[in-house]
Amino acid sequence: MEEEKTKQKKESHNLFLIILLAGCVITIITSFYFFYFKKDYVFFVEIKCDPQVEACFYRDCENNPDICPPNNLSYYSQYTLSAKDFAKCANEDCTEACATKLIKCEKVNCSESDLQNGTCVLPTKVLN
């Protein structure tokens, strides 16, 4: 009787471990598929922006260099694009690809809170 209980206990532990390992393997395979093959996620890219012509996001790279990326863009536009399209950007710079509509880039517009916080500036010149 005691041996049967010990055997059932071992079998239930083994079954639990098998289910746990199967769940981990399925999670890893699914994640690998979506992130490596399907590339089903979104990139945010920053492109140089002229604050005299268009609304631009702003960060103070001169007084606070810690918040600036390596390209030191103080005035920039933000775009979202699909990760699978990012490979079409030359040298990880999507300026040309977005401008020529080689890839689908969606511009992120400034919100009211961005304007109030000073992280976004409106154009100083009006286009004719």
Side-chain angles (χ1 to χ4, degrees), residues 4-6 10 22-24 26 29 37 43-44 50 66 74-75 80 83 91 93 105 107 111-112 120 124 128:
E4 270 184 43
K5 286 184 180 181
T6 307
K10 279 186 179 181
C24 290
I26 289 170
I29 290 171
F37 287 111
F43 272 173
F44 285 93
D50 184 1
D66 295 336
S74 290
Y75 293 100
T80 60
N91 298 323
D93 182 12
C105 301
K107 186 173 183 174
S111 68
E112 285 296 322
C120 189
T124 54
N128 292 332

Side-chain angles (χ1 to χ4, degrees), residues 11-21:
E11 287 177 2
S12 67
H13 283 283
N14 287 340
L15 181 62
F16 174 74
L17 286 175
I18 290 170
I19 292 171
L20 183 67
L21 287 174

Side-chain angles (χ1 to χ4, degrees), residues 20-39:
L20 183 67
L21 287 174
C24 290
V25 168
I26 289 170
T27 302
I28 290 170
I29 290 171
T30 303
S31 298
F32 187 75
Y33 171 74
F34 279 106
F35 287 107
Y36 188 74
F37 287 111
K38 194 172 180 186
K39 296 186 180 179

